[in-house]
Amino acid sequence: MRFATADEIRARGHAHRSSLQQLERVKASELLARQFDLPVGHLLFHSVIVHFENAIPIQVEDRWANPLLAPDYMEQDYASITPNEY
């Protein structure tokens, strides 16, 4: 099942909100380093966000971000914008 993005929720005239559950800096494991094509131990950003449509939780987003490509990831207000919007 594919869950709707914030834009799709808003396009339907529904209310989207999100709740940040976790935001951390993590050293890449061997598996993550391989997936990101980075050396083991390289810093990655990790977030877990629950997305709601009209107050109903519809998606848990578990995201890893490369700080080289998203340097301000940790400073965003994910209650106001989504990681995709950033």
Side-chain angles (χ1 to χ4, degrees):
M1 174 180 212
R2 181 177 179 274
F3 289 107
T5 64
D7 290 339
E8 292 169 332
I9 292 168
R10 292 180 191 122
R12 288 194 292 271
H14 294 177
H16 170 269
R17 77 172 178 86
S18 59
S19 174
L20 181 65
Q21 302 297 303
Q22 186 171 4
L23 185 63
E24 63 184 344
R25 292 171 172 85
V26 177
K27 291 182 180 180
S29 65
E30 187 175 327
L31 176 62
L32 284 169
R34 190 168 46 248
Q35 291 173 331
F36 279 87
D37 195 25
L38 294 169
V40 173
H42 191 278
L43 181 66
L44 292 174
F45 299 149
H46 177 233
S47 62
V48 177
I49 300 171
V50 178
H51 293 273
F52 295 80
E53 181 171 356
N54 290 341
I56 298 170
I58 62 164
Q59 182 179 25
V60 175
E61 174 185 345
D62 187 350
R63 182 182 296 258
W64 294 89
N66 182 342
L68 299 173
L69 302 175
D72 297 325
Y73 191 84
M74 299 294 286
E75 284 74 45
Q76 303 308 304
D77 176 4
Y78 292 116
S80 299
I81 66 167
T82 66
N84 282 344
E85 291 167 332
Y86 160 67

